[in-house]
Amino acid sequence: MLRRTLLVSAALALGVAGTPYVAQAETTYGPPYDFPTELMGDGGGLDGTGVIPLKNRAMIDRTEHGYRYRSGQQDGHLVVTLTAEGLYFVDSGTASFRSLGAGCSPRATSVGVAAVCTMPQGVTESEPLLLEVWPRLGNDYTDGSSLPATVAMAVLADAGNDVVRLGAGPDFANGAQDQDRIHGGDGNDWLRGGAGHDYVHGMSGADLLVSADGRDTLFGGDGDDRLYGGGAQDRLYAGPGADLVNCGPGGDYAWVDRADRTRSCESVSRR
């Protein structure tokens, strides 16, 4: 297993310019595997499949570490839960499935589409199932907030005002474009905004929160978090824990307590 271990300075690789602080210790954020962190091209065909037409449709693929759910060109409303049968997908904003991968089967639902995918053997909190969700070109809602720590989500949003709610595992989300709202869970999450004015809340756990473009609002929540501002006027709220707040360029505002450290912040309020 290849565990994804990041230096806090990895914020530079996420498009945050002018971040001078480099942490000395390694910290692990997000799913413990290599996985795509942004959509590329017209179809999001990061695995070599090229453009996949998905207007009003969705598909589920089996991957090396779990499953990948893709949808496109509609306002998706996906809720994923864990049942006795496995991962249960319900998308009330999608008309039909294009395809279902190995281990997945359709289920009846009154609105939209539904499917169940079996949980593989050997899934643990240290080696969780990787659930990738790629909702494209709509105002999409993705909710995995009830999922346990044995499931790690990686959500790649696209154009549209998207909402993402993550579960108890070590999760990742990329807001990409427009104005998004991203909520982490109990795990050590890696969350980033996109090109719009985004709201990113780490919730519990030791989280890495990164602003990109736009005037973003970052809430660390509970845990020892790392918050990185972008190039615009951001608002960064550290929350409980020994946090690092690196505001970066732009006229930023930081709200911290005595246990926190700040870097490059134009305005700091300490509790």
Side-chain angles (χ1 to χ4, degrees):
M1 179 190 72
L2 176 62
R3 188 161 183 80
R4 192 174 190 86
T5 304
L6 306 172
L7 287 172
V8 173
S9 59
L12 291 172
L14 297 178
V16 180
T19 306
Y21 179 78
V22 177
Q24 299 301 311
E26 290 185 339
T27 306
T28 301
Y29 304 98
Y33 310 110
D34 276 347
F35 59 95
T37 58
E38 60 184 71
L39 292 171
M40 302 289 289
D42 293 334
L46 295 178
D47 55 359
T49 58
V51 176
I52 300 176
L54 285 174
K55 186 174 183 178
N56 296 322
R57 306 175 80 184
M59 61 186 291
I60 305 177
D61 295 321
R62 186 74 169 89
T63 64
E64 179 182 1
H65 299 294
Y67 296 98
R68 179 180 299 134
Y69 185 98
R70 310 189 206 195
S71 60
Q73 294 181 269
Q74 67 264 15
D75 294 341
H77 193 282
L78 174 67
V79 178
V80 187
T81 56
L82 184 61
T83 70
E85 290 187 283
L87 286 176
Y88 184 48
F89 299 80
V90 179
D91 190 340
S92 60
T94 294
S96 63
F97 279 120
R98 181 181 187 272
S99 62
L100 293 175
C104 302
S105 56
R107 292 291 185 270
T109 185
S110 57
V111 179
V113 296
V116 169
C117 299
T118 58
M119 286 288 285
Q121 296 292 323
V123 170
T124 65
E125 290 189 12
S126 61
E127 297 187 24
L129 179 140
L130 177 61
L131 173 58
E132 299 174 85
V133 180
W134 298 358
R136 301 189 60 249
L137 304 178
N139 298 324
D140 299 300
Y141 178 88
T142 302
D143 188 350
S145 59
S146 71
L147 292 174
T150 52
V151 178
M153 296 185 70
V155 181
L156 305 188
D158 198 356
N161 300 323
D162 304 311
V163 176
V164 178
R165 298 183 181 277
L166 303 169
D171 301 315
F172 171 80
N174 182 347
Q177 304 178 45
D178 300 310
Q179 299 184 39
D180 306 308
R181 299 182 68 85
I182 300 172
H183 304 261
D186 291 342
N188 295 347
D189 302 319
W190 175 14
L191 312 175
R192 60 156 294 175
H197 307 320
D198 303 310
Y199 173 94
V200 182
H201 195 161
M203 308 295 285
S204 300
D207 304 311
L208 173 63
L209 278 61
V210 181
S211 170
D213 300 321
R215 297 187 303 274
D216 298 327
T217 300
L218 307 183
F219 282 89
D222 294 339
D224 298 339
D225 304 309
R226 302 293 182 260
L227 285 69
Y228 286 83
Q233 189 177 72
D234 303 310
R235 293 176 177 268
L236 301 93
Y237 298 83
D243 306 308
L244 169 67
V245 178
N246 192 325
C247 293
D252 304 309
Y253 297 85
W255 284 262
V256 299
D257 57 34
R258 295 183 182 275
D260 302 324
R261 293 171 293 161
T262 62
R263 298 288 187 275
S264 305
C265 296
E266 287 74 25
S267 178
V268 178
S269 176
R270 286 192 183 272
R271 298 185 296 273

